[in-house]
Amino acid sequence: MDRQDLLFAPITPSQATHFACEARFVADYGTSVIKLLSPEPGEKILDVGCGDGTLSRLVQAGGAEVVGIDIDAAMVEASRQNGIDARLMDGRALAFQCTFDAAFSNAALHFMRPVPLVIESVARALKPGGRFAAELGSHGNIAAITTGLVAVLDRRGIDGGAHIPWDFLTAEEFCDSLETAGFLIDAVHTFHRPTPMPSGAKAWIEKLGRWFLDALPPEQRDEACEEAARLMSHTMKTARGHWTADYHHLRFKARLATK
Ligand code: BEZ
């Protein structure tokens, strides 16, 4: 299939829209990636950025043998408590060669910058013909959130742009990186997924945007967070007081060429 036929194909928004807290969204939306990957019993599967292991557990329950990696020691420990063989490892420098039948990742690759390095690292970890399916933020993802957080740092004399902790590629850039690493692309979708923030922007920033706040002295963080939320409210808060994050995501499935 031609690259143009793969890009920007519509995706069916089948996910429910309301959940109890932000953290639940990640795992609930992640089941789409698992379906795309179609893991088989007995396969060796790598979860890149496994977090607390919720999705790894799902795959393991289906009979596959899962190894999870994460750069956050607390997450690795949480995964282990969940019964996952989790390793403390940088996704850009995986210590595996031709080991896995398939790899997946949900809402994590964009934190492993630059993303093309992770793609190459996963390619090395897979056996020839190995599958790779993932969902991550794409270009324009959480634009209002990022702009608000950059602005509050800039206003305090800190280069906010230098503290952006994520890398959101366009589908075109992402496909180029997959192909350069030796993958054949089976499917790519980009889609807008307005995502409810039940606890509001401030709670989201404290949990998922804390890298910006860490650039400030502790006594300035709360006020900066409130200011960022105020800036975001103009585009992210409805007249009825509901907050929605402007997620733009990319989901793909690819397989390594057999050489
Ligand atoms: C995302 O899933 O797009 C995302 C989540 C947390 C921080 C940044 C992006």
Side-chain angles (χ1 to χ4, degrees), residues 43-109:
E43 282 191 321
K44 262 187 91 102
I45 309 277
L46 178 66
D47 181 351
V48 186
C50 60
D52 68 5
T54 304
L55 287 176
S56 289
R57 256 179 82 145
L58 209 64
V59 175
Q60 198 161 267
E65 192 185 320
V66 181
V67 173
I69 70 101
D70 206 289
I71 196 73
D72 184 327
M75 287 298 163
V76 169
E77 186 47 39
S79 261
R80 288 180 181 159
Q81 295 293 328
N82 260 328
I84 302 304
D85 174 2
R87 323 268 179 97
L88 185 63
M89 209 179 281
D90 186 334
R92 299 165 301 181
L94 294 166
F96 304 109
Q97 300 281 342
C98 292
T99 306
F100 295 96
D101 298 296
F104 73 94
S105 180
N106 183 54
L109 294 183

Side-chain angles (χ1 to χ4, degrees), residues 107 110-111 136-137 141-142 166 168 193 204 208 247-249:
H110 47 242
F111 287 115
L136 67 156
N141 191 36
I142 54 168
W166 36 70
F168 299 135
R193 196 189 70 198
W204 190 102
L208 297 165
Y247 282 32
H248 288 262
H249 273 200

